[in-house]
Amino acid sequence: MSDSVEIEVDGRTVAISNPGKIYFSKRGETKLDLVNYYLAVAEPIMNTIRDRPVLLERYPDGAGGKSWFQKRVPKSVPSWLQTTEVSTPNGTVSDALVAADMAHLLWAVNLGCLGFHVWPTHADAPAAGTAPPVYDAAGELLPPTGVTDELRIDLDPSPGISFDDLRAAAQRTRELCGELGIDVRIKTSGSRGLHLYALLEPRWDGYQVRAAAVALARELERRHPDTITAQWWKEERGSRVFVDYNQNAPHKTVFGAWCVRPKVGAQVSTPISWDALPEVTNDELTIATVPARVAEFGDPWSDRTPQDLTPLLELSDKDLAAGLQDAPWPPQYPKMPNEPSRVQPSRARKDAD
């Protein structure tokens, strides 16, 4: 194969260098195979990722090789490439790639990007009109997030949890959201878990969406204490499915729908219908199988409509009024008001003794 090929897409010409380089060793799929996969799912991936900032996970030697997260686009880029300023939890800003169209995604693939980690905001997201300013425990104003229009529910398997256990937790999460009038859709993670998403009305910021996710996780634990947990510390989870509410922490990215994992089997984080959940597994959905699935069944997320988050925010207010503290935040975030100690519970008990 030649040293490069040119792909015409979205009115742009994107050069793909070393198209025959093996990226996924299990079946010998190449960089060009990855390009062709993304072209095959162009419509559904653009329906979920278009105009959102993305963090690039680069594997220039393919899955299993050296890698790094690229928070900033390189200095030398095509004149048409769109970027936007994003913030980290501590307020540091950088220019991130915007998934404006397929040309932008293929440009990143040519750099060895095997995973797109997607912001829950759009590049031009306005300020959330109902959101008050947010301060950390030291009284410092935290960077605003703008409108956050996706609730992302990450069902994470603890040791001893099977995929059937995850399926059951996903159905229970769907049932609760249905009671609250919130339509959630499901995708495989491409790894070990399952993700549920709700498209949101453009009314809330990232702090409010995280509060809603905490309330959802806690209510699921109350209803199903033996099988589902909202406990942040691993030592407190037991053999239960963990609802990782902090995937909704402001300025947090999540691995994108239809995106290919940096695994030798080229697994895809794939949206599926609820009817398909009993049969599918993460490992069978790959760049070799997903395009045919889309051609046969279409995009199960194509009819998503924006949902009202109010019922979950009311549940959050009820929990706080009952005396519950905020749930723990990830360590890279500033200490937040009403947040419990970030000391591991067993260590805190040991220190107390």
Side-chain angles (χ1 to χ4, degrees):
M1 187 174 288
S2 63
D3 290 339
S4 67
V5 297
E6 292 186 341
I7 305 294
E8 300 293 331
V9 61
D10 296 321
R12 312 285 187 189
T13 300
V14 182
I16 305 298
S17 61
N18 300 313
K21 178 183 283 189
I22 301 296
Y23 265 18
F24 306 100
S25 60
K26 185 174 182 178
R27 290 179 302 274
E29 287 137 332
T30 66
K31 180 193 279 193
L32 188 58
D33 290 326
L34 180 60
V35 167
N36 288 331
Y37 161 77
Y38 279 119
L39 291 172
V41 299
E43 182 175 353
I45 195 173
M46 280 292 109
N47 284 343
T48 64
I49 202 175
R50 188 186 301 276
D51 295 330
R52 295 185 187 275
V54 292
L55 173 66
L56 310 181
E57 187 176 359
R58 292 183 59 182
Y59 285 75
D61 296 323
K66 64 179 181 180
S67 67
W68 67 91
F69 286 97
Q70 181 144 3
K71 298 179 180 179
R72 299 172 175 83
V73 297
K75 293 182 178 180
S76 178
V77 299
S79 60
W80 48 264
L81 203 76
Q82 294 185 37
T83 64
T84 190
E85 188 176 275
V86 294
S87 297
T88 61
N90 63 10
T92 302
V93 298
S94 60
D95 284 330
L97 178 70
V98 175
D101 54 29
M102 285 303 300
H104 284 70
L105 296 191
L106 297 192
W107 173 85
V109 168
N110 186 54
L111 295 182
C113 180
L114 298 191
F116 293 97
H117 297 256
V118 187
W119 263 263
T121 59
H122 285 82
D124 59 353
T130 64
V134 178
Y135 299 86
D136 64 20
E140 297 292 328
L141 181 66
L142 294 170
T145 70
V147 167
T148 299
D149 63 358
E150 278 188 332
L151 171 67
R152 298 164 171 186
I153 306 162
D154 180 11
L155 301 181
D156 192 11
S158 302
I161 290 297
S162 69
F163 203 69
D164 282 340
D165 295 326
L166 286 176
R167 290 188 179 104
Q171 291 287 7
R172 288 163 179 163
T173 304
R174 184 193 187 195
E175 290 167 5
L176 172 56
C177 289
E179 287 180 27
L180 300 173
I182 299 172
D183 176 37
V184 291
R185 304 299 175 93
I186 191 166
K187 72 180 179 75
T188 63
S189 70
S191 183
R192 297 177 59 240
L194 288 169
H195 298 159
L196 279 65
Y197 277 44
L199 190 65
L200 301 177
E201 295 172 356
R203 296 166 53 188
W204 300 281
D205 72 0
Y207 300 98
Q208 293 169 305
V209 173
R210 178 189 176 277
V214 170
L216 176 67
R218 285 174 166 170
E219 182 62 18
L220 283 167
E221 183 179 65
R222 281 191 287 264
R223 294 187 179 203
H224 310 285
D226 294 333
T227 58
I228 299 177
T229 180
Q231 300 305 310
W232 175 249
W233 297 102
K234 290 183 178 180
E235 65 184 36
E236 296 185 324
R237 295 177 193 171
S239 186
R240 295 180 289 178
V241 175
F242 171 51
V243 184
D244 189 356
Y245 54 85
N246 272 328
Q247 295 292 356
N248 295 275
H251 313 288
K252 178 78 168 64
T253 60
V254 173
F255 200 83
W258 305 106
C259 293
V260 182
R261 285 281 185 181
K263 302 176 71 174
V264 296
Q267 284 84 357
V268 175
S269 184
T270 312
I272 59 175
S273 69
W274 282 103
D275 289 341
L277 178 60
E279 291 85 32
V280 300
T281 64
N282 273 301
D283 282 346
E284 71 185 63
L285 298 172
T286 72
I287 65 172
T289 63
V290 169
R293 186 180 186 89
V294 173
E296 181 176 359
F297 299 110
D299 176 6
W301 287 13
S302 63
D303 60 344
R304 288 197 304 166
T305 57
Q307 304 294 298
D308 185 356
L309 197 62
T310 303
L312 278 175
L313 292 173
E314 290 175 346
L315 191 58
S316 174
D317 290 341
K318 183 179 178 181
D319 282 345
L320 296 178
L324 285 180
Q325 289 183 281
D326 191 3
W329 286 68
Q332 67 269 33
Y333 285 77
K335 179 72 174 178
M336 302 295 282
N338 198 36
E339 182 188 357
S341 171
R342 291 189 184 177
V343 178
Q344 190 173 351
S346 59
R347 179 177 175 183
R349 290 191 294 269
K350 182 179 180 180
D351 290 345
D353 293 340

